[in-house]
Amino acid sequence: MEKSNMKKLSWIPIVVFLTCFPIGAQPAQNTAGAHDQAPGARKASRKTTSIPGKVGSDGKTFTADKDNRIWMISNPEALSAIDGRHVKVKALVDAARSQLRIVSVSAIAEQRAGIKLDDAAFRR
Protein backbone atom coordinates (compact mmCIF):
# COMPACT_ATOMS: atom_id res chain seq x y z
CA MET A 1 0.00 0.00 0.00
CA GLU A 2 2.80 2.34 0.87
CA LYS A 3 4.52 1.63 -2.49
CA SER A 4 1.44 2.61 -4.49
CA ASN A 5 1.17 5.93 -2.59
CA MET A 6 4.85 6.61 -3.35
CA LYS A 7 4.27 5.96 -7.06
CA LYS A 8 1.32 8.33 -7.11
CA LEU A 9 3.29 11.03 -5.31
CA SER A 10 6.22 10.68 -7.71
CA TRP A 11 3.96 11.36 -10.72
CA ILE A 12 2.60 14.64 -9.33
CA PRO A 13 5.75 16.75 -9.97
CA ILE A 14 6.09 15.30 -13.48
CA VAL A 15 2.48 16.16 -14.37
CA VAL A 16 2.83 19.66 -12.91
CA PHE A 17 6.06 20.24 -14.87
CA LEU A 18 4.55 19.10 -18.17
CA THR A 19 1.42 21.22 -17.77
CA CYS A 20 3.41 24.35 -16.93
CA PHE A 21 6.15 23.90 -19.54
CA PRO A 22 4.93 22.33 -22.77
CA ILE A 23 7.95 20.97 -24.61
CA GLY A 24 6.96 21.44 -28.22
CA ALA A 25 3.86 19.33 -28.50
CA GLN A 26 2.12 22.33 -30.03
CA PRO A 27 3.41 24.01 -33.19
CA ALA A 28 4.71 27.53 -32.75
CA GLN A 29 2.40 30.23 -34.06
CA ASN A 30 3.88 32.63 -36.56
CA THR A 31 3.05 36.23 -35.76
CA ALA A 32 3.37 38.53 -38.77
CA GLY A 33 5.77 36.16 -40.51
CA ALA A 34 8.81 37.76 -38.91
CA HIS A 35 10.48 34.47 -38.04
CA ASP A 36 10.20 32.83 -41.46
CA GLN A 37 11.55 35.63 -43.62
CA ALA A 38 14.96 37.16 -43.67
CA PRO A 39 15.16 40.86 -42.81
CA GLY A 40 14.54 43.04 -45.83
CA ALA A 41 12.59 40.35 -47.67
CA ARG A 42 9.60 41.75 -49.49
CA LYS A 43 6.23 40.19 -49.94
CA ALA A 44 4.89 40.81 -53.43
CA SER A 45 1.68 39.44 -54.84
CA ARG A 46 1.94 36.56 -57.30
CA LYS A 47 -1.59 37.18 -58.61
CA THR A 48 -2.48 39.97 -60.98
CA THR A 49 -4.93 42.59 -59.79
CA SER A 50 -7.04 44.90 -61.98
CA ILE A 51 -6.82 48.51 -60.89
CA PRO A 52 -8.51 51.42 -62.70
CA GLY A 53 -6.80 54.78 -62.44
CA LYS A 54 -4.81 57.52 -64.11
CA VAL A 55 -1.24 57.30 -65.35
CA GLY A 56 1.01 60.11 -64.12
CA SER A 57 2.38 62.72 -66.52
CA ASP A 58 5.84 61.13 -66.40
CA GLY A 59 4.57 57.55 -66.85
CA LYS A 60 6.32 56.41 -63.66
CA THR A 61 3.37 56.83 -61.28
CA PHE A 62 -0.20 55.56 -61.22
CA THR A 63 -3.06 56.99 -59.15
CA ALA A 64 -5.80 54.48 -58.31
CA ASP A 65 -9.42 55.60 -58.68
CA LYS A 66 -10.66 53.73 -55.63
CA ASP A 67 -8.54 55.30 -52.89
CA ASN A 68 -6.38 57.87 -54.76
CA ARG A 69 -3.30 55.93 -53.69
CA ILE A 70 -0.19 56.74 -55.70
CA TRP A 71 1.79 53.73 -56.91
CA MET A 72 5.29 53.70 -58.36
CA ILE A 73 5.63 51.72 -61.59
CA SER A 74 8.54 49.26 -61.61
CA ASN A 75 8.40 48.86 -65.41
CA PRO A 76 7.46 52.33 -66.79
CA GLU A 77 8.15 51.24 -70.37
CA ALA A 78 4.81 49.35 -70.21
CA LEU A 79 3.02 52.70 -69.88
CA SER A 80 4.97 54.57 -72.54
CA ALA A 81 2.84 56.83 -74.75
CA ILE A 82 -0.14 56.72 -72.38
CA ASP A 83 0.96 59.49 -70.01
CA GLY A 84 -1.92 61.25 -68.25
CA ARG A 85 -4.66 58.91 -69.56
CA HIS A 86 -7.34 57.03 -67.65
CA VAL A 87 -6.66 53.27 -67.92
CA LYS A 88 -7.24 49.92 -66.25
CA VAL A 89 -4.04 48.01 -65.51
CA LYS A 90 -3.47 44.41 -64.56
CA ALA A 91 -0.45 44.38 -62.31
CA LEU A 92 1.47 42.49 -59.68
CA VAL A 93 1.15 44.46 -56.44
CA ASP A 94 3.93 45.06 -53.91
CA ALA A 95 2.01 46.90 -51.19
CA ALA A 96 4.99 47.18 -48.85
CA ARG A 97 6.90 49.28 -51.40
CA SER A 98 3.83 50.85 -53.07
CA GLN A 99 4.94 49.45 -56.41
CA LEU A 100 3.11 47.95 -59.36
CA ARG A 101 4.61 45.71 -62.03
CA ILE A 102 2.38 46.22 -65.06
CA VAL A 103 1.29 43.07 -66.89
CA SER A 104 -1.30 44.59 -69.26
CA VAL A 105 -3.02 47.91 -69.91
CA SER A 106 -6.46 48.67 -71.34
CA ALA A 107 -7.91 52.10 -72.04
CA ILE A 108 -11.10 53.18 -70.33
CA ALA A 109 -13.45 55.24 -72.49
CA GLU A 110 -14.09 58.68 -71.07
CA GLN A 111 -17.74 59.44 -70.39
CA ARG A 112 -19.12 62.11 -72.59
CA ALA A 113 -20.48 65.17 -70.90
CA GLY A 114 -23.77 66.60 -71.97
CA ILE A 115 -27.38 65.62 -72.40
CA LYS A 116 -28.30 61.97 -72.47
CA LEU A 117 -31.53 61.63 -74.40
CA ASP A 118 -32.19 58.17 -72.97
CA ASP A 119 -32.20 59.56 -69.45
CA ALA A 120 -35.41 59.09 -67.40
CA ALA A 121 -35.98 62.85 -67.33
CA PHE A 122 -36.61 62.88 -71.10
CA ARG A 123 -39.01 59.91 -71.21
CA ARG A 124 -42.76 60.45 -71.43
Side-chain angles (χ1 to χ4, degrees):
M1 178 99 168
E2 195 170 310
K3 257 188 173 180
S4 68
N5 284 340
M6 290 290 271
K7 285 184 181 180
K8 287 180 185 177
L9 290 176
S10 66
W11 280 102
I12 292 175
I14 294 171
V15 171
V16 170
F17 176 78
L18 291 177
T19 56
C20 293
F21 303 103
I23 49 176
Q26 299 174 351
Q29 293 182 357
N30 188 2
T31 57
H35 301 291
D36 292 340
Q37 296 179 349
R42 64 181 182 167
K43 188 172 185 178
S45 168
R46 294 180 189 246
K47 248 176 120 173
T48 58
T49 305
S50 294
I51 306 170
K54 188 173 183 180
V55 178
S57 61
D58 58 356
K60 295 180 181 179
T61 59
F62 182 80
T63 305
D65 285 345
K66 183 177 179 182
D67 55 359
N68 288 331
R69 184 173 178 180
I70 298 173
W71 297 89
M72 299 300 295
I73 306 299
S74 63
N75 56 339
E77 65 277 357
L79 297 178
S80 62
I82 351 178
D83 301 344
R85 294 185 65 194
H86 195 243
V87 296
K88 181 186 243 182
V89 298
K90 283 190 179 181
L92 299 171
V93 178
D94 185 355
R97 295 174 133 186
S98 293
Q99 281 189 343
L100 296 177
R101 176 151 183 83
I102 305 298
V103 175
S104 68
V105 181
S106 60
I108 296 177
E110 298 290 330
Q111 290 184 346
R112 63 184 174 119
I115 299 172
K116 296 181 182 177
L117 296 176
D118 59 340
D119 193 2
F122 292 106
R123 292 187 199 147
R124 287 196 169 213

